[in-house]
Amino acid sequence: MKSLVGRQKAAILLISLGPELSSQIFKHLPDSEVEKLTLEIANIRKVSPEQRDQVFQEFYELALANDYISQGGIDYAKELLEKAYGEEKAAEIIDRLTANLQVRPFDFARKTDPGQLLNFIQYEHPQTIALIMAYLDTEQASAVLSALPAELQVDVARRLALMESTSPEILREVENILEHKLSTVVTQDYTQAGGVETLVAILNRVDRATEKTIIETLEVQDPELAEEIKKLLFVFEDIVQLDDRAVQLVLRQVDSHDLALALKGSGEEVMNKIKRNISKRAAQMLQEEIDYMGPVRLRDVEEAQQKIVAEIRRLEEQGQIIITRGGRDEIIL
């Protein structure tokens, strides 16, 4: 088994799991990795029971260690593994895990409620807040960003977009301030986090007012950065850029009341795009509902638009539609 490299072990694991389970795993891997694993599987003629058992055991140990780390960090995982396997075996498992899986920093923060996390970090330096947000889940980070004061939102957003590699020493210092040690204790690699794409992923999930404040302020402070962000950011009005079949797919998932409310605050181009992709009777009923609403609060309109944008992004994440940004090809099914 020692002569096998990581991809060979992965191929043996997939073969042993069978086609049904393996196909589900493939769905979560990038195409390039699927191609490499497929080639590796094709080159394996036979898997012996000994190979299968050893790969399963190693996979189990890594999964168990990763679970322990997610619960309480490296030290907690090491303590439990030592009790189960002894010091030498525990050290071996931890070494394999950190070398192959690259445990992410700030795991404890990702398990914290956004409201509690906000209270925890809002008085930190904007650069520290940006660094922490770079490692949060995007929905969690968007909740934190939305709750920050407007002037701090822009400062944090700008620092997040311009963030590049962060040294292990800085990560360790920030984690020590937050009273927790995680994976950077055992790795000396520079960690890539933050950047424009990270900020865009967060802005795609914040409320419209927060998004608007940040973009408009950056247009004044850093026009080039603002333009780069806008090229990647999908907003409700961008629905006019979608392929008609994609629009129809989106509309099948959207509540009719939310659609009417969202269109209440949209322009004629968006309205025409929607009406072209529904029946004449449905378009008539939609217009009647919009007219019947009368005056509505801007916040309600923006929330409805955000729901539809979230549905578009969900369909994109599932691979049902593809949104190409930055003036390139339009969306395809």
Coordinates of all heavy atoms in Angstrom, one line a residue, residues 126 130 133 145 148 152-163 195 199 203 214 218 225 229:
P126 N -10.6 46.4 10.5 CA -11.3 46.0 9.2 C -10.5 44.9 8.5 O -11.1 44.0 7.9 CB -11.4 47.3 8.4 CG -11.4 48.4 9.4 CD -10.6 47.9 10.6
A130 N -12.0 41.3 7.5 CA -11.9 40.8 6.2 C -11.3 39.4 6.1 O -11.7 38.5 5.4 CB -11.2 41.8 5.3
M133 N -13.7 36.8 7.4 CA -14.8 36.6 6.5 C -14.3 35.8 5.3 O -15.1 35.0 4.7 CB -15.3 37.9 6.0 CG -16.2 38.6 7.1 SD -16.8 40.2 6.5 CE -17.7 39.8 5.0
L145 N -21.5 40.8 6.9 CA -21.2 42.0 6.2 C -22.5 42.9 6.2 O -22.4 44.1 6.3 CB -20.9 41.7 4.7 CG -20.5 42.8 3.8 CD1 -19.3 43.6 4.4 CD2 -20.2 42.3 2.4
L148 N -22.8 45.0 9.5 CA -21.8 46.0 9.8 C -22.3 47.4 9.5 O -23.1 47.6 8.6 CB -20.5 45.7 9.1 CG -19.7 44.4 9.4 CD1 -18.6 44.2 8.5 CD2 -19.2 44.5 10.9
L152 N -18.1 50.8 7.5 CA -17.3 49.6 7.7 C -17.5 48.6 6.7 O -16.5 47.9 6.3 CB -17.5 49.1 9.1 CG -16.6 48.0 9.6 CD1 -15.1 48.4 9.6 CD2 -17.0 47.6 11.1
Q153 N -18.7 48.5 6.2 CA -19.0 47.5 5.1 C -18.1 47.7 3.9 O -17.5 46.8 3.4 CB -20.5 47.6 4.7 CG -21.5 47.1 5.6 CD -22.9 47.4 5.1 OE1 -23.1 48.2 4.2 NE2 -23.9 46.6 5.7
V154 N -18.0 49.0 3.5 CA -17.2 49.3 2.3 C -15.7 49.0 2.6 O -15.0 48.4 1.7 CB -17.4 50.7 1.9 CG1 -16.5 51.1 0.7 CG2 -18.9 51.0 1.5
D155 N -15.2 49.4 3.7 CA -13.8 49.2 4.0 C -13.5 47.7 4.1 O -12.5 47.3 3.5 CB -13.5 49.8 5.4 CG -12.0 50.0 5.7 OD1 -11.2 49.6 4.8 OD2 -11.7 50.4 6.8
V156 N -14.3 46.9 4.7 CA -14.1 45.5 4.8 C -14.2 44.8 3.4 O -13.4 44.0 3.0 CB -15.1 44.8 5.8 CG1 -15.0 43.3 5.7 CG2 -14.8 45.3 7.2
A157 N -15.2 45.2 2.6 CA -15.4 44.7 1.3 C -14.2 45.0 0.4 O -13.7 44.1 -0.3 CB -16.7 45.3 0.7
R158 N -13.7 46.2 0.5 CA -12.5 46.5 -0.3 C -11.3 45.7 0.1 O -10.6 45.2 -0.8 CB -12.2 48.0 -0.2 CG -11.1 48.6 -1.1 CD -11.0 50.1 -1.1 NE -10.1 50.5 -2.0 CZ -8.8 50.6 -1.8 NH1 -8.3 50.2 -0.6 NH2 -7.9 51.1 -2.7
R159 N -11.1 45.6 1.4 CA -9.9 44.8 1.8 C -10.0 43.4 1.5 O -9.1 42.7 1.1 CB -9.8 45.0 3.4 CG -9.4 46.4 3.8 CD -9.5 46.5 5.3 NE -9.2 47.9 5.8 CZ -8.0 48.3 6.1 NH1 -6.9 47.5 5.9 NH2 -7.8 49.6 6.5
L160 N -11.3 42.9 1.5 CA -11.5 41.5 1.1 C -11.2 41.2 -0.4 O -10.6 40.2 -0.7 CB -13.0 41.1 1.5 CG -13.4 39.6 1.2 CD1 -12.6 38.7 2.0 CD2 -14.9 39.5 1.5
A161 N -11.7 42.2 -1.2 CA -11.5 42.0 -2.6 C -10.0 42.1 -3.0 O -9.5 41.5 -4.0 CB -12.2 43.1 -3.4
L162 N -9.2 42.9 -2.3 CA -7.8 43.1 -2.6 C -6.9 42.1 -1.9 O -5.7 42.1 -2.1 CB -7.4 44.5 -2.3 CG -8.1 45.6 -3.0 CD1 -7.7 47.0 -2.5 CD2 -7.9 45.5 -4.5
M163 N -7.5 41.3 -1.0 CA -6.7 40.3 -0.2 C -6.0 39.3 -1.1 O -6.6 38.8 -2.1 CB -7.6 39.7 0.8 CG -6.8 38.9 1.8 SD -8.0 38.1 3.0 CE -8.6 39.6 3.8
G195 N -10.0 38.0 -2.1 CA -10.0 38.3 -3.5 C -11.4 38.7 -4.0 O -12.4 38.6 -3.3
L199 N -15.4 38.1 -2.6 CA -16.3 39.2 -2.3 C -17.6 39.1 -3.1 O -18.7 39.3 -2.5 CB -15.6 40.6 -2.5 CG -16.5 41.8 -2.4 CD1 -17.0 41.9 -1.0 CD2 -15.7 43.1 -2.8
L203 N -21.3 39.2 -1.8 CA -22.3 40.2 -2.2 C -23.5 39.6 -2.9 O -24.6 40.1 -2.9 CB -21.6 41.2 -3.2 CG -20.5 42.1 -2.6 CD1 -20.0 43.0 -3.6 CD2 -21.1 42.9 -1.5
I214 N -22.0 49.3 -1.0 CA -20.6 48.9 -1.3 C -20.2 49.2 -2.7 O -19.1 49.8 -2.9 CB -20.4 47.4 -0.9 CG1 -20.6 47.2 0.6 CG2 -19.1 46.9 -1.4 CD1 -20.6 45.7 1.0
L218 N -17.4 52.1 -3.7 CA -16.2 51.7 -4.4 C -16.1 52.3 -5.8 O -15.0 52.5 -6.2 CB -16.2 50.1 -4.6 CG -15.9 49.3 -3.3 CD1 -16.0 47.8 -3.6 CD2 -14.5 49.7 -2.8
L225 N -11.7 48.6 -9.4 CA -12.1 47.5 -8.6 C -13.6 47.3 -8.7 O -14.1 46.2 -8.8 CB -11.7 47.7 -7.1 CG -12.1 46.6 -6.1 CD1 -11.6 45.2 -6.5 CD2 -11.7 47.0 -4.7
I229 N -15.7 44.0 -10.0 CA -16.7 43.3 -9.2 C -18.0 43.3 -10.0 O -18.7 42.2 -10.0 CB -16.9 44.1 -7.9 CG1 -15.7 43.9 -7.0 CG2 -18.1 43.5 -7.1 CD1 -15.7 44.8 -5.8

